[in-house]
Amino acid sequence: MNNFFPSKTAFVTLIACCLTVIIALGIRQTFGLFYFDFATDLDITISQFGFAMGLQLFLWGAFNPLFGVITDKYGGSIAIFIGFLFYLAGVLLFYLGFNTGVNFIYTIGILIGVGLGSTAISIPVSVVAKHYPASKRTMATGIVTSAGSFGYFVSPIFVSYSLNENGWEPTMLYFCFLLGLGLLVALFVSTPKIPVGTNQNNNQTATEALKEALSNKSFIYLTLGFFVCGWHIALVATHIPTYMMDNGLPDWCATTVLSLIGLFNMVGTIVSGYLATRYSKKYILSSIYLLRGVSIIIFIFFPPSVINSVIFGITFGFLWLSTVPPTNGIVAHIFGTKYVGMLYGIVFVSHQIGSFLGAYLSGVFYELNGNFDYAWYGSIALSIFAGLIHLPIKEKAIERVQTA
């Protein structure tokens, strides 16, 4: 492994980015577990909750390109630090009582959404990508994504215990301490002025890079496909506790599913990152989305049971964020790493639009029909769409933005 790290700075940055996503994604993953307390104590309906979660996810994506520009120009440390400030402000204000009516939207939806724009996955991944050559890049970004999965695994267990023992208010306070730690971690993130594998004679501007990407069909296909990833993740992370309860499963079952998703996604992202260094990234992505559809079909059409839920947690967890390394890898391979933060941020906007619709519309479907059936059916159809839309992608580097 000594040969894996290009430098000590690359190693420290990798560790710092891993800690960043553990904190940011770990907290984010658990909000669905708070719904029943919010409904009881704060009079929040499921559609209101879904809207706030959807808005949070949308703003996460909407601000991601801006933080990508900040990262590419000023460094990931500044971008991540600013993100943690917003994230901490949202959680702290919520804890202090700004948590009912429109304040629920401001804190949980807007402030945390903006904070996630630089702390959750895409910016840490893009920073790490700048430190590693193409031969190691998807593996390195897979490690960061896998770290986020560790947060997914640990947080539901901790939050479920804390909610039962202490209530939601002390749990929010614990989140504040973790986010304060995130501010310190951000200081150890370093961004190379000249990313590894970038043509030093490349004088392309950010505007030129954006125009180039938006005129590239492969970039458009990739962006459309990532919409589906967002829909899937938001639906499961936001509404699986309610789905479990409606099907008569024990309270701990939702926590188990969310934790299993985190545990097996650690394996899935590492495997995905490794395979993306050896095989076509577009075929890996196509396979992931089609397999997600299979996992959902088994989950919703087989009789509800603890065993079926565990199988879903394992299979869907393996496929959860395994899309990130090959998606980021395709962007970096085609366009280079100079503006990878911004360009991956654009792709991520599509992901978060899908997340907004997955969280919000699923809540609307539930209130209209009393179940999530149409949300699941839509998820299966989207899996097929994503499986097909990646096939025309041409994994060929644009020569004037040489990557390696």
Side-chain angles (χ1 to χ4, degrees):
M1 287 294 289
N2 290 334
N3 295 327
F4 180 77
F5 303 104
S7 65
K8 182 179 179 180
T9 301
F11 172 74
V12 172
T13 297
L14 180 64
I15 298 300
C17 286
C18 285
L19 292 174
T20 294
V21 297
I22 286 172
I23 295 170
L25 290 180
I27 292 174
R28 170 60 190 88
Q29 176 75 346
T30 61
F31 284 130
L33 297 174
F34 286 85
Y35 170 67
F36 302 112
D37 290 300
F38 291 166
T40 301
D41 295 348
L42 306 178
D43 197 28
I44 302 297
T45 68
I46 193 167
S47 61
Q48 290 173 325
F49 182 72
F51 177 77
M53 294 298 101
L55 180 62
Q56 178 193 97
L57 294 166
F58 173 74
L59 291 176
W60 173 1
F63 277 83
N64 194 253
L66 173 61
F67 282 119
V69 172
I70 293 173
T71 298
D72 294 333
K73 190 170 183 179
Y74 301 106
S77 180
I78 293 176
I80 292 172
F81 189 88
I82 293 172
F84 270 128
L85 283 177
F86 275 94
Y87 207 148
L88 177 58
V91 175
L92 183 59
L93 287 173
F94 191 90
Y95 169 75
L96 293 175
F98 296 89
N99 50 33
T100 57
V102 71
N103 287 325
F104 185 83
I105 304 297
Y106 288 149
T107 53
I108 293 291
I110 296 176
L111 289 175
I112 293 178
V114 174
L116 286 165
S118 73
T119 58
I121 287 293
S122 53
I123 296 303
V125 161
S126 67
V127 171
V128 168
K130 291 173 179 286
H131 281 276
Y132 290 82
S135 60
K136 302 174 181 178
R137 188 173 298 136
T138 54
M139 187 65 184
T141 56
I143 291 172
V144 178
T145 309
S146 180
S149 303
F150 177 75
Y152 281 161
F153 168 61
V154 173
S155 292
I157 299 173
F158 165 74
V159 168
S160 181
Y161 173 80
S162 182
L163 287 174
N164 289 329
E165 295 295 321
N166 307 309
W168 66 266
E169 290 174 297
T171 305
M172 284 288 174
L173 182 60
Y174 301 149
F175 285 172
C176 291
F177 291 127
L178 286 172
L179 293 167
L181 176 63
L183 290 171
L184 296 177
V185 170
L187 302 178
F188 291 90
V189 175
S190 177
T191 308
K193 292 182 179 180
I194 301 176
V196 174
T198 298
N199 182 354
Q200 297 187 27
N201 296 319
N202 174 25
N203 295 317
Q204 187 183 43
T205 66
T207 301
E208 291 170 342
L210 182 59
K211 289 181 179 179
E212 181 179 70
L214 294 177
S215 65
N216 186 290
K217 290 183 178 179
S218 294
F219 184 81
I220 301 301
Y221 297 147
L222 189 69
T223 301
L224 291 174
F226 218 32
F227 169 93
V228 178
C229 183
W231 172 287
H232 286 161
I233 288 176
L235 166 60
V236 174
T238 304
H239 296 297
I240 203 70
T242 304
Y243 180 81
M244 294 294 186
M245 181 187 69
D246 286 354
N247 282 280
L249 295 169
D251 293 341
W252 54 264
C253 199
T255 301
T256 300
V257 169
L258 293 175
S259 293
L260 285 172
I261 285 173
L263 179 63
F264 282 88
N265 190 47
M266 285 188 280
V267 180
T269 51
I270 292 294
V271 171
S272 173
Y274 173 75
L275 292 176
T277 65
R278 293 178 170 268
Y279 304 104
S280 169
K281 298 173 184 61
K282 68 177 183 180
Y283 291 130
I284 293 171
L285 285 170
S286 182
S287 299
I288 289 170
Y289 286 112
L290 291 174
L291 288 172
R292 280 187 181 185
V294 173
S295 178
I296 293 172
I297 288 171
I298 294 172
F299 181 54
I300 67 171
F301 288 112
F302 278 57
S305 67
V306 172
I307 295 298
N308 189 31
S309 300
V310 168
I311 292 172
F312 177 72
I314 292 172
T315 57
F316 210 78
F318 190 82
L319 305 166
W320 184 259
L321 291 179
S322 57
T323 57
V324 173
T327 299
N328 183 273
I330 288 176
V331 174
H333 179 71
I334 295 176
F335 302 102
T337 55
K338 183 176 181 180
Y339 294 109
V340 69
M342 177 186 70
L343 296 181
Y344 183 69
I346 297 296
V347 177
F348 196 70
V349 169
S350 175
H351 183 283
Q352 295 309 92
I353 292 174
S355 295
F356 169 75
L357 294 175
Y360 176 55
L361 290 183
S362 297
V364 172
F365 291 149
Y366 184 87
E367 290 199 340
L368 292 175
N369 304 301
N371 57 57
F372 294 108
D373 287 354
Y374 287 107
W376 291 121
Y377 300 154
S379 296
I380 296 168
L382 287 170
S383 294
I384 298 171
F385 167 78
L388 297 176
I389 198 67
H390 286 89
L391 298 180
I393 291 175
K394 296 180 180 179
E395 298 178 63
K396 182 180 179 182
I398 295 176
E399 296 195 10
R400 75 184 192 89
V401 192
Q402 189 95 2
T403 58

